[in-house]
Amino acid sequence: MKNYKSYSINKIFVFIFLLTISYNGISQQTVGRIYDQSRAQSFLLYDNGFLIQDGNPMNRGYVQQDPSGFMYLMVPAANPMVNAYFIAWDRSFVEIDRFQGARVIGFYDGYIPNNPYQTVYQQPTYSNNYGIETAQGNFIPIPDGIVDQNKPFGDIMITNEMKAQECYQNAYSPATGLNREKFTMCMIQNMAGKKELEILDCVRNSKTPEERTLCLFSKLGGQKEKEIAQKISECYATYGSDWSRYPLCMSSSVNDPTISKILACMEQQSKSGEVSFMGTALCYGVDKFQMNAETQIIIECAVTSGGEPYTFAGCAGGQLLARELDKCFTNGVGGDSGCFGKNNDIVKGLKAIGDALNVKFGPNNDFTKLWNTTVNDITNGPGYNHDAVKAIRNLSNEINNVSDDVSKAVRKAVPKIKIKW
């Protein structure tokens, strides 16, 4: 039979030995001392992260990196989600209280590395060579280094007469007439794809630039980006743009340098102007997002329009769509003069490209036949057909690179990023 009394005593001796090692700092080097001037106490910090109070060896623990990145180290606290303590990058000793905010209560005398998040945000440069041209002729610049000059075209926005008629009936009341916003929003929902609608919803449903940025960050990225946006959104819901309290919000999180970088990027943007998705994406890496031409067009049009449907549609869908929507308001839907009827401006624009291809390459040319077949599919089909929309966009990019004559017709009919030289 085992001697349980002897076994328990041995465990106690081992515990005391380990405690003695920690207390005496064996195999440790002192790297600094924290002075808590509000409570007249100080703590020694060792190179392995062990912290112990001078004169009170039972008050000890381990520091860790601040998960938010706004501070250097987080010091152990009884309830770090409500009241937490930090060594700041400038050597201040900071207390952050959930209700009273942040205050400096002392200082740290010791080594501090360079803050890796000090200047993560670099203001985007605009040469005004790239941008979106709205239906009203306004030019919305896009930051340099994002646009693929060989693929400037986006997705057309088109639907059929039946869908337009349904939207009109749902938005019309004999007492008040046509609700233009409701009608246009219905039309957009029939003309745009899932990603485009998600971008527009981010803008329409966000109350602040920060909310909009986090929403787009989540929708346009992968699973990693969704998790980052979710965590930061939780803090934003509690503390808004009071960045000084984010270390408290993040105190129970696992340290992730990526989240720290995004937080620093947003905080630095807020100091220099307004937080934006494009600025945050440039900080993070635009390659992590689906930032092709159609996405860039939709983002800029949604943000510039503030999510107002008619302005957005005229920007994202181009001048031909704007003209078609105007016909809906003045002439109704269908027929000879109504929108999306026999004289659909978008269809005429797409067919004009086919006519130009017939002249340039001949009706039996594979490229010509593919274009005309795709246009027939998208104009005679049951509404939004994303495969055909993608085909129109990809063919437009090819035409733009192949023929100057035909590309003029394409530029009139297909939404694009304008490139000025």
Side-chain angles (χ1 to χ4, degrees):
M1 181 180 290
K2 289 183 179 180
N3 187 334
Y4 285 101
K5 182 177 181 181
S6 174
Y7 177 71
S8 298
I9 291 173
N10 287 337
K11 283 183 67 179
I12 293 172
F13 278 134
V14 170
F15 174 75
I16 292 174
F17 174 71
L18 293 173
L19 195 64
T20 303
I21 290 177
S22 295
Y23 170 63
N24 292 327
I26 295 174
S27 300
Q28 301 175 102
Q29 296 292 324
T30 303
V31 293
R33 179 176 265 111
I34 299 171
Y35 293 93
D36 180 354
Q37 295 172 311
S38 69
R39 296 173 180 83
Q41 57 188 15
S42 60
F43 299 81
L44 272 177
L45 178 62
Y46 294 91
D47 58 1
N48 64 350
F50 186 67
L51 184 76
I52 186 167
Q53 184 180 350
D54 291 315
N56 183 12
M58 296 305 293
N59 189 15
R60 59 185 176 271
Y62 283 90
V63 299
Q64 61 176 304
Q65 285 185 293
D66 168 25
S68 77
F70 287 131
M71 302 287 180
Y72 170 41
L73 294 175
M74 184 168 67
V75 174
N79 192 351
M81 291 294 290
V82 176
N83 187 262
Y85 302 88
F86 301 87
I87 298 173
W89 292 105
D90 65 359
R91 291 186 171 82
S92 299
F93 187 49
V94 179
E95 177 183 9
I96 304 180
D97 182 89
R98 181 172 183 177
F99 304 103
Q100 299 179 14
R103 67 185 183 114
V104 176
I105 60 172
F107 65 95
Y108 171 67
D109 183 12
Y111 171 75
I112 294 277
N114 291 327
N115 180 357
Y117 311 112
Q118 188 169 6
T119 54
V120 295
Y121 174 65
Q122 300 294 324
Q123 189 127 7
T125 57
Y126 295 87
S127 64
N128 287 323
N129 286 330
Y130 314 105
I132 314 298
E133 192 170 37
T134 69
Q136 293 74 35
N138 299 322
F139 185 76
I140 309 168
I142 294 177
D144 296 344
I146 294 180
V147 176
D148 183 347
Q149 300 175 36
N150 296 315
K151 297 179 178 180
F153 288 93
D155 290 341
I156 62 170
M157 295 177 70
I158 188 172
T159 189
N160 57 28
E161 182 179 338
M162 181 180 69
K163 292 292 184 181
Q165 196 66 255
E166 288 176 5
C167 287
Y168 197 95
Q169 290 172 358
N170 291 334
Y172 181 82
S173 165
T176 59
L178 181 67
N179 184 321
R180 290 169 59 113
E181 181 171 354
K182 185 177 180 180
F183 169 75
T184 308
M185 194 64 212
C186 178
M187 292 294 287
I188 291 171
Q189 289 167 347
N190 281 290
M191 294 187 292
K194 180 175 181 290
K195 182 174 66 175
E196 289 86 347
L197 292 174
E198 287 179 337
I199 293 171
L200 182 58
D201 285 344
C202 280
V203 174
R204 285 174 63 83
N205 298 326
S206 297
K207 296 179 181 178
T208 66
E210 289 83 2
E211 286 183 6
R212 181 175 65 217
T213 295
L214 291 170
C215 183
L216 292 172
F217 198 93
S218 174
K219 297 298 184 183
L220 295 176
Q223 185 58 38
K224 172 71 172 176
E225 290 68 45
K226 284 180 172 62
E227 293 170 0
I228 291 172
Q230 176 62 34
K231 183 58 189 176
I232 297 177
S233 293
E234 291 170 3
C235 292
Y236 186 80
T238 304
Y239 296 115
S241 56
D242 184 357
W243 307 105
S244 68
R245 301 196 193 202
Y246 276 64
L248 184 67
C249 178
M250 301 286 294
S251 61
S252 64
S253 304
V254 176
N255 187 62
D256 184 344
T258 305
I259 294 180
S260 302
K261 183 177 181 180
I262 296 304
L263 280 171
C265 182
M266 292 179 68
E267 187 262 349
Q268 289 164 27
Q269 284 181 80
S270 68
K271 286 182 177 179
S272 62
E274 184 178 280
V275 177
S276 71
F277 167 74
M278 202 66 81
T280 306
L282 287 168
C283 275
Y284 182 71
V286 291
D287 58 312
K288 306 293 195 305
F289 301 98
Q290 303 169 28
M291 290 295 288
N292 43 28
E294 60 269 25
T295 301
Q296 293 170 38
I297 291 170
I298 296 295
I299 290 173
E300 297 298 343
C301 289
V303 172
T304 302
S305 68
E308 193 280 310
Y310 176 76
T311 306
F312 167 78
C315 176
Q319 293 183 358
L320 296 183
L321 176 59
R323 280 189 221 161
E324 204 62 27
L325 288 174
D326 285 340
K327 284 195 291 185
C328 296
F329 301 137
T330 56
N331 303 332
V333 177
D336 293 333
S337 59
C339 66
F340 297 95
K342 293 181 180 179
N343 292 308
N344 187 324
D345 281 319
I346 304 170
V347 173
K348 287 194 293 186
L350 295 175
K351 288 184 175 180
I353 297 169
D355 293 340
L357 286 169
N358 287 337
V359 172
K360 183 73 176 180
F361 301 113
N364 295 320
N365 177 272
D366 288 341
F367 201 95
T368 303
K369 288 192 292 184
L370 180 58
W371 177 271
N372 289 328
T373 299
T374 304
V375 170
N376 184 68
D377 289 343
I378 205 169
T379 55
N380 296 325
Y384 187 84
N385 182 326
H386 205 61
D387 289 337
V389 167
K390 288 181 179 178
I392 291 289
R393 178 231 304 158
N394 294 335
L395 288 169
S396 296
N397 285 321
E398 291 297 323
I399 292 171
N400 193 53
N401 294 328
V402 170
S403 170
D404 287 339
D405 294 336
V406 184
S407 67
K408 292 178 181 178
V410 175
R411 294 189 192 110
K412 292 180 181 178
V414 184
K416 66 186 181 303
I417 292 175
K418 188 171 183 179
I419 301 174
K420 298 192 298 186
W421 298 105

